Amino acid sequence: MSLLVKGARIVTACDDYVADVHAEGETITTIGRQLDIPADVVLDGTGLYLLPGGVDPHVHLDFPFGDTKTSDNVQTGTIAAAFGGTTTVVNFTQQLPGERLQATLERGLDTAEGNAAVDYGYHLIVTSLDEQTLPDLDTLVADGVTSVKLFMAYPGLVMVDDRTLFQVLERTASLGALTCVHAENGDVIDVLVQRALAAGRTGPAWHGRTRPELAEAEATHRAIALAEMADAPVYFVHLSCREALDEVTRARDRGRPVYAETCPHYLYLDDRVYDEQGGFDVAKYVLTPPLRPAHHQAHLWRGLRNDDLSVVSTDHCPFCLKGQKTLGVGDFSKIPNGGPGIEHRLVLLHSGGVVAERLSLRRMVEVFSTAPARLFGLFPSKGTIAVNSDADLVLFDAGATHTLSAATHNMNVDYSLYEGMAVTGKVTSVIARGKVIVEEGKYVGRPGDGRYFKRGPSGRG
Amino acid sequence: MSLLVKGARIVTACDDYVADVHAEGETITTIGRQLDIPADVVLDGTGLYLLPGGVDPHVHLDFPFGDTKTSDNVQTGTIAAAFGGTTTVVNFTQQLPGERLQATLERGLDTAEGNAAVDYGYHLIVTSLDEQTLPDLDTLVADGVTSVKLFMAYPGLVMVDDRTLFQVLERTASLGALTCVHAENGDVIDVLVQRALAAGRTGPAWHGRTRPELAEAEATHRAIALAEMADAPVYFVHLSCREALDEVTRARDRGRPVYAETCPHYLYLDDRVYDEQGGFDVAKYVLTPPLRPAHHQAHLWRGLRNDDLSVVSTDHCPFCLKGQKTLGVGDFSKIPNGGPGIEHRLVLLHSGGVVAERLSLRRMVEVFSTAPARLFGLFPSKGTIAVNSDADLVLFDAGATHTLSAATHNMNVDYSLYEGMAVTGKVTSVIARGKVIVEEGKYVGRPGDGRYFKRGPSGRG
Amino acid sequence: MSLLVKGARIVTACDDYVADVHAEGETITTIGRQLDIPADVVLDGTGLYLLPGGVDPHVHLDFPFGDTKTSDNVQTGTIAAAFGGTTTVVNFTQQLPGERLQATLERGLDTAEGNAAVDYGYHLIVTSLDEQTLPDLDTLVADGVTSVKLFMAYPGLVMVDDRTLFQVLERTASLGALTCVHAENGDVIDVLVQRALAAGRTGPAWHGRTRPELAEAEATHRAIALAEMADAPVYFVHLSCREALDEVTRARDRGRPVYAETCPHYLYLDDRVYDEQGGFDVAKYVLTPPLRPAHHQAHLWRGLRNDDLSVVSTDHCPFCLKGQKTLGVGDFSKIPNGGPGIEHRLVLLHSGGVVAERLSLRRMVEVFSTAPARLFGLFPSKGTIAVNSDADLVLFDAGATHTLSAATHNMNVDYSLYEGMAVTGKVTSVIARGKVIVEEGKYVGRPGDGRYFKRGPSGRG
Amino acid sequence: MSLLVKGARIVTACDDYVADVHAEGETITTIGRQLDIPADVVLDGTGLYLLPGGVDPHVHLDFPFGDTKTSDNVQTGTIAAAFGGTTTVVNFTQQLPGERLQATLERGLDTAEGNAAVDYGYHLIVTSLDEQTLPDLDTLVADGVTSVKLFMAYPGLVMVDDRTLFQVLERTASLGALTCVHAENGDVIDVLVQRALAAGRTGPAWHGRTRPELAEAEATHRAIALAEMADAPVYFVHLSCREALDEVTRARDRGRPVYAETCPHYLYLDDRVYDEQGGFDVAKYVLTPPLRPAHHQAHLWRGLRNDDLSVVSTDHCPFCLKGQKTLGVGDFSKIPNGGPGIEHRLVLLHSGGVVAERLSLRRMVEVFSTAPARLFGLFPSKGTIAVNSDADLVLFDAGATHTLSAATHNMNVDYSLYEGMAVTGKVTSVIARGKVIVEEGKYVGRPGDGRYFKRGPSGRG
């Protein structure tokens, strides 16, 4: 089985040139001018960009929230990812109370086995560890789970104390792995939420009003300090505001291995959606952290441009407005937190970043694919177009325009955060390990194409 | 004429893989696994790094200083560059009083024509412009000079006032070109120098003592402010100290297009050389800015790692100790300023950076080749290993060790800044536009191989 | 001659209590509860604040601007000052080209002799000095001129180069004196002004648009750096914007003796006045630095509260709109720069500061009187209410309201910057060295009451 | 009963002059030149400073630590305070598990009643509060306890979570009271301590090595963020290092009401005392936070000079080396934390601050007396020398030298932190509310002279 993509404009995190790409089996073997190599499949890339397949390091598929779970399972979610040019995802599996970490991983792997349209890894969400169970992390790393996630929010549910966070930071660092942190001060937020509810402020708009930027910035600073004392790297998921970015920037300026991702919704949407007049539909925007005032957006774009933000992930965590978000009617704290996004990361980065001249094309590729591949131990199999790398490739028509809508998207959720928004740029074909899985707007692969990726050490520098 | 390099480990600013590289004529045409393409020249790269040829954007060849000029001319200097893995240099030509800029450029081009071993461009040093002569910059850019340099030091000689600097920043920015700045407050330094001389402090050690870090940091801040008011990018040559780096970092953090280079001597040497006991030999270290206290070095390495420093250049500006530096016996202010370095940039970056684990291998390539190529309008012809790029290639033996010495170096100067220093890594072959010019420690090209490169717009992002 | 003020609420920079104050001759001799000491004059202070007389360290009286001079001379200006509770002013005398500094001082002293209603000192504006004339500063200090002022703006007129600034900073510091700086980058501004005029933008609104905040911030940073290299304190006059304040704050944070004043107009007015629709009346607001966007005001108040701004002066520099400002009809650069203010500093600080809860009462006294007295070598004769201090006292009715207007003010100028503005607080009586000079809204002193004050070393800490 | 102090140099936080001071009963009634008022007691102050009595807002007297308690009780501790020129202390009473706050206060008041040599207040240490018991704070404030203290360290003992800290900050702010914080990340420190002990590192030197600066800085930042979200002021006790100071400085720069004290031992001593060779005697220096590397001292002095540090307290918390500190032989975590200091605050501030030219005389008075009086609701009764203030006065001989030693000090503890250190300046007489209690090196008052001071709102600005 072989593939030849001819005449596309190849864009990677550092290069930009026109050439042909040939893959034997799953791997890129030759890149050159007008290659004259026979291939089973030949695609014409003339006039298109050829990008490395996207790496989305923050998705929730088959993910439980109380008694419900995300509306996308591994199958529907990874197909939507493929449509959007993402050929690798890192999903989450969360430790149950008292559960040993290997069991947690097994549950995740079982869920995904045979269902994924694209390659996948797992982060493990740690909810409690002690001196006895810390060594579980070692086995996990050996099994290709080279990142864990901890919550500084949601006391009584998943929040860990600083003792746990500090010890996990130390241990993962010693293993070459990476600790991801949800940074919000859960204690303060909990007081604000309880007070709002007690005052009868129960509507979804109050979700946004009870999670101040400073609660995020404080936790960001704290985790950076703990990581420094542990001599560990740290990665912040879904950074949403300037104040938290400033903490990351300061730490990076003094040379600390501190990384952060933001998400398209923080780059595009703002807190004006949290409007009492919106009724319960506002629950669509019950994301955590919440959407922020619009002035933060310019800072987040700047952070991406400057490499103070390393990655754009989606934090895809979809719940249908009807039947799922409605669990929180009358009590916003019961609304499942999260929103859909796995499908539109590339096109939103292209429209708002490249077309709007906020990001160079190569920087777009870097935050979309190369940087997450490096940080999460997937590089160089993933994250670039180079000889010996996996033939994960996206053909992208930079001039095509279309409109985002729940009516046309492939995610299994009944609303879009960007309903009616016109965007520029369109994925035309997607190749995963040498096999075409999206072509002319159709999914032509099959679930199970995607394999578990045993990830290596987190890469830096 | 064709070339094939087999089995080397190819390292670029973002990739790192083993493959074969084929060039037809001057250009890379194919990269692949075990290429079976016939070639006139075949090099075995097994066990070696294959790097993009270095770009040194700060060299002084055939450069006048008072009544003397640099001991390396274009020919000897570019041969030394080639030995060190540098295949492109950007040299300086300096405006004489009242001279129109096109005439200045012509003088530079005439000097180099037929003499260069590697490709070269020119920066133009502007010493005075007014409203009438500003448009000269436009023609210059059309002639491939997309960068100028101005001095904030040396009052009465080349220092420009803020009015000139501001106007040049504006005009070059509008042309897509880049303004390079020598940032030191010349007025303050001049007072300190005159006072030292008046007090009988005439020895070479006083060069270092009369140029405080704050004089550099102040000028750096000022040029950043002028560039911001002019809405222009700015590039600082030979940044030497933490205080100046802090100004650059702050500007970059808020999104300004501010760039800086440092040089190997600031990364390796410190101000303990400015010792009265050293006698006149101390004149070897009369560089500007001077060498700083040792604690600055860690900050400069950090800046390189963090991308607050974008480039390592050499500021190669050699004068023989005997007969040239000695012009300043009895008056340190008359010592020709500058030192040799063009030959050892790569090996010093490798030893002090990669081997010492201060820089990743790909970051080394970036500061050595890719970033200067981009900023100075040479990319993608120069600065990477990719299809369609010039076949400027360096085979590098990362494990070889050797010792630096004036006795063995190829630069035309009677001393080395690093005499007796052991380093790790060695250039084994150098290819310039498809032609082998250094092989087995011998220069096998001929002067005139190198051509003038009409540079394009300064690249960012 | 003796005086007794009974029952007022005495407020100083650190104390706040009700007591009686007795002065013998010019000096406070006793403070106590219900003093039973006979006095020639007895004032009832019940219900009133008793404040130390104000010190205004930045006024231009009898000050030339081109062919005209300020509309207030020493006599009218100091009477207006007295009405406003200011009992000491520091006026300016400016060095003519080639003039020795002692001659400059003599001219100033001659102008004031016998005309002043309140005590006065002189700053000397230095426009050029060289190695030969620098020692003039020593004699000046011996004559009680312990502060000089230099301009970083107005090239070709009064702007000094960094060489001069650096040397003056060094010399004054060694003498215990203080260097005041007008911080704006004159070169950049000059380019912008010439360009505006060339483009036919000649109206007064363009004054504001050609003096960017960054031009002030840059010069502020530069002067701080020069002062640090000179190991000297530095004082910034009329700081107007956040960016300049940030430079001062950073310097103070690291312990540098850097001080700044702002003026009431920067705390109250903003750049919306620079409106083409305003016709030539906009010339009223041709102040330098110009008024800034409104968001700066909160930062300036914060700076005052935090002691990053040490002083509020008036920069009183009045020119009548008719016949003086009109010199610049058709060319805004010819409009005499400056505006009136000497009379309303206290009431504006009280209304906008204390009543609006931005400043404590004691901090108001500090910036109005104590801090300038200390910094300019007037303390403890001036700046406090304490035994042995001069009996310079202000009775202030904190609850009285009135309206500012050119129709009622005592300054000799045909407009008010605050026309029609209602303020809270009113000076009821003013005592200068034991003599009542303002009583029941009438000036009851006589010109010549005020004496030249030979100032001592600049006080810090 | 009346008192007259004649001819001393009176120094307050803003004034400095020579005069006589007369007190009727407990209160200052007149200040003047050569007062001719009869008095029961007349002291000659010629050649001496007359300072306001010191306010020490951080002392532990009769304070339990596990099964022992501080070696100074209220009586011995306040007598030692008096010897050192401190006429007001604020002691601590700590909430027992489940105890209502009023009961906690009662215990404190009972302990002190009739025993104190100088006036005293109480801070209340809150160890747990919930929504039900939060209103206890209101009654407390009504009873004159306008400050509470919480611990971010010592998990399982007194550490509160962020929820409690946030709610207490909010509540106290609404009451005009002040929240004091012991800022160290207890979780991280606990891990480090347990690990050290597990590794057999049980000696007292390990106390210092298990409490990193960053643990203090992190907690400082966190408390500032919580205070900002609560719109509350916050006060940091015993700030010990540059990193924590930087957090305070940054917060103050942006206008937050954030305050901090440091202690003489952080200004004088450094971590070289934590030396294994020292044997168990090192336990003398088991203070929390521990002594830091010497380079921090210059930053702390700078902070005091700049008013980023507002207060110098002693954190007097003495335990005898023999019999008390020895509880921790074999386990440094069991050593009672704390050291003696109440007696030498003034003389150490004078020697290291004023004599060494790091602080002005008036700034010394401010941090010693005025600022703590203001912040803790004691001003203007305490903290100044002014009419109507309490006649709490210290006569101080600035030129006298002596040597500190456990052999001669008045504190009830068997060692001195400053054994053998020569100091400049000596308290000669102390007056508390008009009564001489120390004279010619002898305590001439009697326990019970001191009264409980119902403190008012915390003063700012």
Side-chain angles (χ1 to χ4, degrees), chain D residues 126-146:
Chain D
V126 171
T127 56
S128 73
L129 277 183
D130 56 27
E131 280 70 4
Q132 275 61 50
T133 52
L134 265 173
D136 280 13
L137 292 168
D138 307 30
T139 327
L140 220 55
V141 167
D143 287 342
V145 176
T146 51

Side-chain angles (χ1 to χ4, degrees), chain B residues 51-225:
Chain B
L51 311 175
V55 175
D56 192 337
H58 193 157
V59 306
H60 298 266
L61 303 174
D62 276 306
F63 192 79
F65 182 98
D67 293 335
T68 187
K69 60 178 190 168
T70 51
S71 57
D72 268 317
N73 57 26
V74 168
Q75 181 173 319
T76 61
T78 54
I79 290 173
F83 272 106
T86 290
T87 54
T88 308
V89 300
V90 191
N91 197 6
F92 289 95
T93 178
Q94 178 170 320
Q95 182 190 23
L96 300 175
E99 190 179 35
R100 298 301 290 259
L101 301 186
Q102 278 63 36
T104 311
L105 175 58
E106 284 307 322
R107 284 195 295 106
L109 292 175
D110 288 351
T111 307
E113 180 64 29
N115 293 321
V118 301
D119 288 353
Y120 57 93
Y122 269 101
H123 307 284
L124 205 137
I125 295 175
V126 171
T127 55
S128 73
L129 278 182
D130 56 26
E131 278 70 5
Q132 275 61 50
T133 52
L134 265 173
D136 280 13
L137 292 168
D138 307 31
T139 328
L140 219 55
V141 167
D143 288 342
V145 176
T146 50
S147 54
V148 296
K149 179 181 173 187
L150 294 95
F151 284 86
M152 300 173 81
Y154 306 118
L157 296 170
V158 293
M159 185 168 108
V160 295
D161 59 14
D162 290 353
R163 178 183 191 91
T164 304
L165 177 53
F166 177 65
Q167 291 183 300
V168 169
L169 281 161
E170 277 187 315
R171 190 86 180 199
T172 53
S174 74
L175 298 164
L178 187 59
T179 301
C180 302
V181 174
H182 174 127
E184 284 189 306
N185 187 304
D187 270 11
V188 170
I189 289 170
D190 202 45
V191 171
L192 299 178
V193 167
Q194 297 311 321
R195 184 179 302 166
L197 292 174
R201 296 162 167 175
T202 61
W206 284 93
H207 172 78
R209 296 172 187 165
T210 51
R211 307 189 85 89
E213 286 92 340
L214 260 181
E216 182 180 354
E218 182 285 309
T220 303
H221 181 277
R222 179 157 34 114
I224 289 170

Side-chain angles (χ1 to χ4, degrees), chain A residues 12-19 27-33 35 249 252-255 302 305-306 308 360 362-363 374 379-380 384-388 460-461, chain B residues 12-19 27-33 35 249 252-255 302 305-306 308 360 362-363 374 379-380 384-388 460-461:
Chain A
T12 72
C14 64
D15 290 313
D16 185 342
Y17 58 98
V18 173
T27 309
I28 295 170
T29 46
T30 315
I31 303 174
R33 283 190 184 173
L35 292 181
T249 300
R252 290 177 66 85
D253 280 351
R254 61 178 202 271
R302 171 177 54 80
R305 201 163 49 243
N306 279 6
D308 286 319
S360 67
R362 70 182 182 91
R363 180 65 184 150
R374 270 188 216 287
F379 191 87
T384 191
I385 297 176
V387 173
N388 303 329
R460 304 188 206 165
Chain B
T12 72
C14 64
D15 290 312
D16 187 342
Y17 57 98
V18 173
T27 310
I28 296 169
T29 47
T30 315
I31 303 174
R33 284 190 184 173
L35 291 182
T249 299
R252 290 177 65 85
D253 279 352
R254 59 178 203 272
R302 171 176 54 79
R305 200 162 51 241
N306 279 6
D308 286 319
S360 66
R362 69 181 183 90
R363 181 64 185 152
R374 269 187 217 288
F379 191 88
T384 191
I385 298 176
V387 173
N388 304 328
R460 303 188 208 164

Side-chain angles (χ1 to χ4, degrees), chain D residues 280-312:
Chain D
F280 194 76
D281 270 18
V282 169
K284 291 190 279 191
Y285 305 105
V286 171
L287 313 161
T288 305
L291 300 173
R292 304 298 191 183
H295 69 85
H296 290 275
Q297 292 172 9
H299 293 287
L300 297 178
W301 282 113
R302 171 177 53 80
L304 282 173
R305 198 163 52 242
N306 279 5
D307 195 26
D308 287 318
L309 295 174
S310 303
V311 167
V312 172

